[in-house]
Amino acid sequence: SSSKMTEDRIQLLKKVGFEWECLHIQPWKRSYEELVKFAEEFGHTRVPRQFLPSPSLARWVVTQRESHKKYLKGDTSSNMT
């Protein structure tokens, strides 16, 4: 299959600061800081799965909980140290 990406499209995306490496879009520390703000505002850290103001925070919280469960079971893929 051929790519529909063209040099023009790449340049347009670069102009708006498009981030090509998705792994770096929401680093842990930035998400943690966002969670701290959420806790200050709402008085808890139970971010709803459908948290419209920040879907990425909702996904991050779910990932942290899943990683913690793996960690407790001794799973080394938990990414928690």
Side-chain angles (χ1 to χ4, degrees), residues 4-69:
K4 294 184 180 192
M5 184 59 66
T6 65
E7 190 61 36
D8 289 339
R9 289 179 181 182
I10 291 169
Q11 293 310 314
L12 287 171
L13 291 168
K14 284 182 177 180
K15 279 185 182 179
V16 297
F18 188 80
E19 295 185 44
W20 300 99
E21 299 296 326
C22 294
L23 296 176
H24 303 291
I25 290 175
Q26 196 65 272
W28 194 93
K29 186 171 173 73
R30 187 168 42 175
S31 295
Y32 170 76
E33 290 168 357
E34 192 175 351
L35 180 63
V36 169
K37 289 177 189 172
F38 178 94
E40 288 170 354
E41 182 176 346
F42 295 100
H44 61 79
T45 59
R46 296 180 308 273
V47 180
R49 284 184 182 259
Q50 300 297 321
F51 187 58
L52 296 180
S54 181
S56 62
L57 177 62
R59 284 189 303 272
W60 184 81
V61 168
V62 168
T63 299
Q64 298 313 299
R65 289 192 175 117
E66 289 171 352
S67 293
H68 184 252
K69 286 178 187 175

